Amino acid sequence: MATYQYRCARDGVFEVRLPMGTASPSSPCPVCGGEAARNYCAPMLSLAPRELVTAIDRTEKTRDEPAVVSAVPPDRGRSRGPAPTSNPALRRLPRP
């Protein structure tokens, strides 16, 4: 089933679900019964949330056009030391 969009001059846009390829150039308006012309529009290619689509598009773009950095990012004040171990046998190993 495909969704076709029609525009009534009085009541605006409405959608009709019909088998693919069976839509007529006009359809009766469900509100006023007047003749409504078929409105051609872009299909809904994705029903994903906008944030997800943006993230996917950004990921696709970086594959061909990676971002270029001109400097090392600033240090956030965190020092990276060795992680404390819970195994007492590992405490006897020499420190770097």
Side-chain angles (χ1 to χ4, degrees), residues 42-64:
M44 292 185 66
L45 299 176
S46 175
L47 298 176
R50 187 71 195 138
E51 296 83 17
L52 178 62
V53 173
T54 303
I56 292 170
D57 289 343
R58 191 177 311 124
T59 303
E60 290 289 325
K61 183 178 180 186
T62 59
R63 179 174 54 194
D64 298 327

Side-chain angles (χ1 to χ4, degrees), residues 3-18 22-40:
T3 303
Y4 296 96
Q5 195 176 68
Y6 291 90
R7 179 181 300 276
C8 175
R10 183 174 151 203
D11 298 310
V13 178
F14 64 94
E15 295 179 343
V16 177
R17 290 185 54 85
L18 298 169
T22 61
S24 62
S26 62
S27 177
C29 175
V31 178
C32 68
E35 211 52 33
R38 184 167 170 198
N39 187 26
Y40 291 91

Side-chain angles (χ1 to χ4, degrees), residues 79-92:
S79 63
R80 292 195 173 234
T85 61
S86 60
N87 187 345
L90 296 177
R91 290 186 193 150
R92 291 180 289 178

